[in-house]
Amino acid sequence: MKQRNVMPQKINIRGVYFDNVTKDEAFERVKELIRDDSKVSVMYTPNSEIVQCCIDDESMYSVINSADLIIPDGIGVVYASKILGTPLKQKVAGVETADLIAEYASKTGDGIFIFGGGKATSERPCVARLAADKLCEKYPGLVISGVRDGYFSDADNQSIADEINASGAKILFVCLGAPKQEKWIYDNRDKLKVSFAAGLGGSVDVFAGTVKRAPDFFVKTNLEWFYRLIKQPTRAGRMMNLPRFLFGTVIHKNRGHEG
C-alpha cells in the first residue's frame, strides 16, 4: 500500500503560517511540489522583516499565506516562535534550499529560469547569467532554461511570463527582493506554466558571487544578520526591524494573542 505524504504542521507566527519543517523536510516537500504538474506551486522564505511587513500592511498576509510552502528564513522568526510557545524546528535558509533545488534539477533534467538581479554592464553579463554559469559549473548537467534581470515595469509582466513559459522551465527562481518578488509571483501565478516558483531574494547575488554569504561560523551561530550589518552598515535601518519585531511579539504574547 502506498504511503501518503504527511503535510507539515503550520505554525502561526504573527499571522504568517510557517511550515514547521527541518531543512531536509522542507527539501522533500519541495521535490513533491516540483513533481506536481497540476498547478504552479509556490515557496516563500519570509524572515522577521517580511513578517513585520505583513503586520504593517495587512494586505501582505494574503500574499505570503498563499504559498504552498513557507519556510522560516531568519533566526528572528524562530526566536518569535519560541516566545509564542509554538517553536519551529529550525531556521531554513532560502539560499541553501535553492542550492539543493539546483543540485536536484541537475539530476532530473528539470530546467530552471532565473529572474532577478542586476543588469548587464560593459564589464560583465547580468547577475542572473553569472548565477546561472556558476551553478552550471557547480552542478554539471544543470539546465538553465533562461535568465532575465530584475528591471521591468508592470507593463512588462505578460511578456515576462511569456518568456518564462516559452523557455520550457519547470522551476522558476524569482529574485527581486521582498516583498516585490512575492507580490510578482502572487499577481502573475495564473499566467505561468512552471511547476514550481520560489521567491529567493539575494540568492541570485550569492550564486553569482557578487555578494558573499557569511562564513560558516556566523551561519552556524545564527549571527548571519550581524555579518551582513558589518559588511553593509547601510542596512542598519532595516536591521532595526528585528528588535522591533521581537519586542512586538513579546507584547503580542502578553496580551494573550494565540499567534
Side-chain angles (χ1 to χ4, degrees):
M1 184 176 179
K2 186 177 180 181
Q3 185 177 4
R4 285 187 175 184
N5 294 321
V6 177
M7 296 294 288
Q9 177 193 13
K10 292 282 188 177
I11 300 290
N12 179 359
I13 306 298
R14 307 291 304 277
V16 174
Y17 289 83
F18 286 88
D19 289 273
N20 191 18
V21 290
T22 64
K23 296 173 186 177
D24 290 342
E25 289 167 346
F27 181 50
E28 288 303 311
R29 179 64 179 142
V30 167
K31 289 191 288 187
E32 291 173 11
L33 295 174
I34 291 172
R35 291 192 294 262
D36 182 0
D37 293 322
S38 65
K39 63 174 183 174
V40 180
S41 297
V42 172
M43 179 182 78
Y44 292 146
T45 64
N47 56 17
S48 56
E49 186 177 355
I50 302 310
V51 179
Q52 186 63 50
C53 177
C54 292
I55 295 167
D56 295 338
D57 177 5
E58 292 189 358
S59 68
M60 281 301 299
Y61 280 120
S62 59
V63 174
I64 300 300
N65 287 325
S66 69
D68 301 275
L69 179 64
I70 303 175
I71 59 175
D73 185 9
I75 194 60
V77 172
V78 177
Y79 288 157
S81 73
K82 293 178 180 178
I83 291 170
L84 295 172
T86 52
L88 289 161
K89 292 178 180 178
Q90 65 180 138
K91 171 187 170 184
V92 182
V95 65
E96 293 174 7
T97 305
D99 191 66
L100 290 172
I101 293 170
E103 182 180 18
Y104 173 73
S106 72
K107 297 172 182 175
T108 62
D110 296 327
I112 297 177
F113 193 106
I114 303 176
F115 171 29
K119 292 181 177 180
T121 68
S122 56
E123 289 81 28
R124 59 161 176 77
C126 71
V127 171
R129 172 48 58 192
L130 286 173
D133 292 345
K134 294 277 189 180
L135 285 170
C136 287
E137 287 177 16
K138 186 175 183 180
Y139 299 117
L142 177 63
V143 176
I144 298 296
S145 301
V147 301
R148 195 189 196 285
D149 67 46
Y151 291 80
F152 62 97
S153 68
D154 288 343
D156 299 321
N157 284 334
Q158 185 61 60
S159 64
I160 293 171
D162 290 342
E163 181 182 351
I164 293 166
N165 293 338
S167 75
K170 191 166 186 178
I171 300 165
L172 172 62
F173 288 174
V174 183
C175 306
L176 304 175
K180 186 176 182 179
Q181 62 198 11
E182 290 82 7
K183 289 181 178 179
W184 191 90
I185 294 172
Y186 182 78
D187 290 339
N188 296 280
R189 189 173 185 172
D190 291 343
K191 301 183 181 77
L192 297 169
K193 295 180 181 178
V194 298
S195 291
F196 179 81
L200 293 166
S203 298
V204 67
D205 296 294
V206 174
F207 292 144
T210 54
V211 170
K212 288 187 178 180
R213 198 178 177 206
D216 286 345
F217 168 79
F218 289 90
V219 174
K220 291 176 180 177
T221 55
N222 294 316
L223 290 171
E224 198 168 358
W225 62 271
F226 184 62
Y227 177 83
R228 289 200 301 270
L229 182 59
I230 295 171
K231 289 295 183 178
Q232 297 174 283
T234 54
R235 293 175 62 97
R238 289 178 58 186
M239 289 294 183
M240 288 307 296
N241 278 320
L242 177 56
R244 178 184 170 214
F245 169 70
L246 291 176
F247 181 67
T249 300
V250 172
I251 294 174
H252 183 81
K253 175 65 173 178
N254 289 339
R255 285 177 178 171
H257 295 287
E258 294 181 356

